[in-house]
Amino acid sequence: MSEDKELERQLSELLSQEAELSEEERQEEERRRLSPKYEIRIQTELDPIVEETLKYRSIAKELDGRYDEYMKKSGKTSKESE
C-alpha cells in the first residue's frame, strides 16, 4: 500500500506545481508540448521497402501479392535484382 500512497503523493505534487505556474509559464509549457507544424523529409536513392522486398523474394516466394502494387510504382521488379 505504501507504493500507492507514494504515487498519490507524486500526483498531488505535480498537480499543485501546475496550479502554481503563472499564466505566461503555462502558455509557454503548452507551446513546448505542441507537435511541430513542419516535417523534414529526405529523398533517398534507395527505398528500404523495395530493397527488403527484393531480398525476401530472392529467398522465397510470397504467398500473397501484398507488395506487387508498391513494387510496380517503384519501377523495380524482382527480376532486376538477379
Side-chain angles (χ1 to χ4, degrees), residues 6-63:
E6 178 64 23
L7 289 173
E8 189 174 327
R9 184 189 62 76
Q10 288 176 358
L11 179 61
S12 176
E13 283 180 12
L14 286 172
L15 291 174
S16 64
Q17 285 175 357
E18 286 185 17
E20 293 172 1
L21 292 177
S22 69
E23 184 64 29
E24 184 177 316
E25 290 172 333
R26 202 171 305 155
Q27 288 177 355
E28 185 178 323
E29 180 68 19
E30 288 172 3
R31 275 189 236 114
R32 187 183 64 79
R33 289 182 181 178
L34 285 176
S35 61
K37 292 182 181 179
Y38 304 101
E39 289 182 6
I40 297 174
R41 294 185 181 207
I42 300 170
Q43 189 170 3
T44 62
E45 297 276 328
L46 299 174
D47 184 348
I49 296 172
V50 170
E51 298 303 315
E52 189 172 324
T53 303
L54 291 174
K55 285 180 185 176
Y56 280 121
R57 286 182 175 183
S58 70
I59 296 169
K61 183 179 178 184
E62 288 178 291
L63 296 178

